[in-house]
Amino acid sequence: MGFVLAAVAVVVAGSLLARRFNVPVPVVLVLAGLGYALLPGRNVELDPDVVFFVVIPPLLYAAAIEASLVDIRANRRPIASLSVGLVLATA
């Protein structure tokens, strides 16, 4: 339980720092994750089902809420070509 509270505190602090210095929040959180990975000792392992069903849906929802429909329409051709290209490359 202590790890969960510490992780939430790091995410909140990272978000506040990112907004204060006008840096994208994901960049700060990735750097925090890299810093955690470099710490000595045992790292936490998450079950893939937990990540898939608990972590990813709120992230997708938050990204969808913050997405601008005007920007998506203005960039629909690159978005469509990149999404189709990624699916083909993955397949």
Side-chain angles (χ1 to χ4, degrees):
M1 186 66 169
F3 176 76
V4 173
L5 292 176
V8 169
V10 167
V11 168
V12 170
S15 299
L16 293 174
L17 283 173
R19 291 177 192 202
R20 177 164 173 80
F21 293 111
N22 202 20
V23 178
V25 176
V27 171
V28 174
L29 295 178
V30 166
L31 292 175
L34 287 173
Y36 174 73
L38 295 175
L39 289 175
R42 204 173 126 226
N43 284 330
V44 175
E45 293 182 17
L46 294 175
D47 182 29
D49 289 337
V50 171
V51 173
F52 188 69
F53 292 112
V54 176
V55 175
I56 291 179
L59 292 175
L60 289 175
Y61 180 76
I65 293 296
E66 292 181 8
S68 167
L69 189 57
V70 174
D71 290 340
I72 292 172
R73 284 186 181 156
N75 296 306
R76 67 179 172 251
R77 176 171 271 170
I79 291 170
S81 66
L82 288 171
S83 63
V84 170
L86 179 61
V87 169
L88 291 175
T90 303

